[in-house]
Amino acid sequence: MIQRKQIEELLLSENMRAKVILNSISDAVISTDLHGNIDYLNIAAEKMTGWSRDEAHGRPIAEVMQIVNGTTRLSGRSPIELVLEKDEEMGLAADTLLIRRDGMEIAIEDSAAPIHDASGKITGAVIVFHDVTAAHALATKMAYLAQHDDLTKLPNRAMLSDRITQAIALAKRHRSCVSLLFIDIDNFKHINDSLGHDVGDRLLKSIAERLSSSVRNLDTVSRQGGDEFVILLPDGQGSAGAEAAAKTILMALAQPHNIGGHEINITASIGISVYPDDAHDAEALLQHSDTAMYKAKQGGRNGYTFFEVAMSDRAIARQKVKMELHQALRLEQFVLNYQPKINLRTGMITGAEALLRWAHPKAELTFPNSFIPVAEGCGLIPPIDQWVLRAACSQVRRWDDVGLRLPSVAVNVSALELRQRRYADGVRAALQETGLEPYRLILEIT
């Protein structure tokens, strides 16, 4: 009797310990007897199902734990019932929702297993599940953000690329065409700089709304980033349809945008490419519409231009020059010629103007008008201007050292450079490094 009492106390202690452990975990635990009637719920299971332990005790598992498929909305069979039938572990199907007692739905994941006695005979089953609603919401949000622009909520470049590919495949089967409109807002940077990025962001949202309302439901309006948007017209109307859409868009964008008390008027440049005339895949079609857009900008902005093969040739040439300019700066292939300034009465040299030239290894000496526009477009003007400044100051000091004192040297400066806050620091550094007196340096704004 003493031994039995000790065993009972030990079992009671172990039972209490098990209940404490089960009630301290965040996963819900429900166990049933051999008939699928509930004999235990932990605290987490009470919270998730909305049933108290006393109310749920003895009830069928299907009554307390109602589940449906989140996609089909069809009722699902409890894994407990399957476990009791087959005497093996089971799991819930993906996208399973638990219908709480109050009607609220919770996304859950679970596993169920049989309970055996000492002889190995099945005596019931247990199911362990947890709430994955937050995880599903996060996964859904991440999937959305992976395909949409965070600011405007429009499809992003990744989703657009997929839709262009699908549209081309469909057009290929039906022997029709697909059009792309690449839209860039004219002088948008000036709006950002003058009115602030908050106004700029709100303007982009307004532009996105105008574009979406200017096209049909079957068309795709996408933001590529910055102030660039692309519209996919997949229905095979070709050049005529694309031209009509471009005109509608230009008129819609031209209407004043009221942003934060500012009435902002904008224009846009649009490049148009058409499958199969201009390209046969999504990447090339997008690239060609981008190229046509730059041509529209060169043509005076606030208009649209269709892609032509000659544009691609020029774009390739421009890209080549861009790559070679980076190399020229790195390898110091630039040189300065000096044009003297002469007093016509005395014949004396009063100064000189430093003129930039590019000593291209595979070409003749190249003048600025053939490469400066490309340098402006790819952001190379600041480092080139700094190189010119230092090279000119250094040359004047070398002439000083051999007794040829030049009263002054003039260096051409881009007006864009003078807007940079640290430009004066760059000038000061060049003078200090070379030892040239400040009054001998002239900055000429081109």
Side-chain angles (χ1 to χ4, degrees):
M1 289 176 63
I2 293 172
Q3 288 178 340
R4 186 169 68 235
K5 184 64 174 178
Q6 289 176 338
I7 292 172
E8 287 175 354
E9 290 178 352
L10 179 61
L11 288 174
L12 180 62
S13 174
E14 289 297 324
N15 187 38
M16 291 299 296
R17 177 182 175 84
K19 286 183 177 180
V20 170
I21 293 173
L22 288 173
N23 283 325
S24 67
I25 64 175
S26 59
D27 282 7
V29 180
I30 301 177
S31 65
T32 73
D33 59 20
L34 194 57
H35 303 291
N37 297 321
I38 294 175
D39 54 26
Y40 176 78
L41 284 83
N42 70 347
I43 293 176
E46 288 182 318
K47 291 179 179 178
M48 281 191 180
T49 63
W51 288 81
S52 69
R53 187 177 308 164
D54 293 337
E55 292 175 312
H57 191 274
R59 292 180 180 271
I61 183 71
E63 182 181 350
V64 174
M65 190 180 176
Q66 298 182 48
I67 57 176
V68 298
N69 183 283
T71 303
T72 65
R73 307 302 301 178
L74 296 176
S75 296
R77 195 176 179 194
S78 171
I80 288 283
E81 297 174 2
L82 298 174
V83 167
L84 293 174
E85 283 182 10
K86 300 182 179 182
D87 192 14
E88 60 183 41
E89 293 185 4
M90 291 287 176
L92 275 178
D95 196 23
T96 295
L97 298 178
L98 168 67
I99 309 298
R100 284 171 43 96
R101 192 176 186 183
D102 59 8
M104 182 180 174
E105 297 180 353
I106 302 174
I108 60 171
E109 290 181 352
D110 86 333
S111 61
I115 300 175
H116 299 103
D117 60 15
S119 63
K121 183 179 179 181
I122 183 170
T123 60
V126 61
I127 183 169
V128 180
F129 57 96
H130 57 277
D131 186 348
V132 292
T133 304
H136 281 194
L138 179 60
T140 301
K141 182 179 180 180
M142 294 300 291
Y144 178 86
L145 292 176
Q147 294 189 313
H148 291 80
D149 171 55
D150 188 44
L151 177 66
T152 64
K153 311 308 178 188
L154 293 175
N156 61 11
R157 182 186 292 268
M159 179 181 281
L160 176 70
S161 180
D162 288 341
R163 290 192 178 179
I164 296 174
T165 300
Q166 293 172 15
I168 289 177
L170 191 62
K172 188 179 295 184
R173 288 199 299 270
H174 295 162
R175 296 182 180 276
S176 61
C177 51
V178 175
S179 301
L180 275 190
L181 279 66
F182 198 112
I183 304 163
D184 184 271
I185 307 304
D186 298 329
N187 302 313
F188 181 79
K189 185 177 183 300
H190 174 69
I191 296 172
N192 256 351
D193 292 343
S194 58
L195 300 180
H197 288 275
D198 179 60
V199 172
D201 286 348
R202 292 167 66 184
L203 176 59
L204 288 172
K205 291 181 180 179
S206 178
I207 291 170
E209 292 172 1
R210 296 273 182 94
L211 293 176
S212 297
S213 62
S214 298
V215 297
R216 304 152 304 172
N217 291 334
L218 60 88
D219 301 326
T220 297
V221 180
S222 166
R223 184 186 177 208
Q224 297 295 285
D227 60 334
E228 294 180 339
F229 298 83
V230 175
I231 296 179
L232 166 65
L233 308 178
D235 63 340
Q237 291 189 3
S239 300
E243 184 171 19
K247 290 178 179 179
T248 300
I249 289 166
L250 290 174
M251 287 190 293
L253 294 179
Q255 298 300 314
H257 297 256
N258 295 305
I259 309 293
H262 301 280
E263 187 175 281
I264 304 174
N265 293 282
I266 64 169
T267 60
S269 299
I270 303 177
I272 304 172
S273 61
V274 180
Y275 166 87
D277 297 341
D278 301 326
H280 291 84
D281 61 77
E283 184 178 354
L285 198 65
L286 188 60
Q287 182 179 350
H288 289 169
S289 62
D290 186 11
T291 300
M293 180 274 293
Y294 276 104
K295 182 64 176 178
K297 280 196 176 295
Q298 293 172 1
R301 296 182 167 87
N302 192 27
Y304 59 89
T305 300
F306 282 89
F307 173 78
E308 297 174 358
V309 176
M311 295 179 189
S312 182
D313 295 339
R314 287 193 294 271
I316 292 173
R318 184 183 180 89
Q319 181 64 24
K320 181 181 179 182
V321 172
K322 176 181 175 181
M323 294 172 61
E324 291 179 341
L325 277 175
H326 280 279
Q327 187 177 32
L329 194 60
R330 188 174 66 255
L331 300 180
E332 296 188 356
Q333 294 175 353
F334 293 115
V335 296
L336 292 180
N337 288 172
Y338 295 88
Q339 177 173 296
K341 297 178 180 180
I342 300 176
N343 185 317
L344 296 181
R345 292 182 178 176
T346 65
M348 298 294 292
I349 294 177
T350 59
E353 179 181 359
L355 304 175
L356 180 64
R357 302 289 185 262
W358 179 9
H360 195 292
K362 297 181 180 179
E364 297 180 352
L365 207 61
T366 307
F367 288 78
N369 59 346
S370 64
F371 64 84
I372 287 298
V374 179
E376 289 176 342
C378 61
L380 280 177
I381 288 297
I384 290 177
D385 274 3
Q386 286 298 311
W387 180 88
V388 170
L389 190 62
R390 284 178 168 78
C393 293
S394 296
Q395 181 60 65
V396 173
R397 291 294 294 124
R398 286 197 295 271
W399 282 330
D400 287 348
D401 292 341
V402 294
L404 299 174
R405 184 175 176 81
L406 187 70
S408 67
V409 63
V411 175
N412 290 328
V413 179
S414 166
L416 294 176
E417 274 298 279
L418 289 181
R419 294 181 61 185
Q420 302 301 316
R421 293 183 179 181
R422 300 186 62 84
Y423 182 72
D425 294 337
V427 174
R428 186 180 295 110
L431 292 171
Q432 290 175 347
E433 289 174 13
T434 60
L436 184 68
E437 301 92 329
Y439 70 85
R440 298 175 69 190
L441 175 63
I442 298 173
L443 304 178
E444 292 189 353
I445 303 174
T446 57

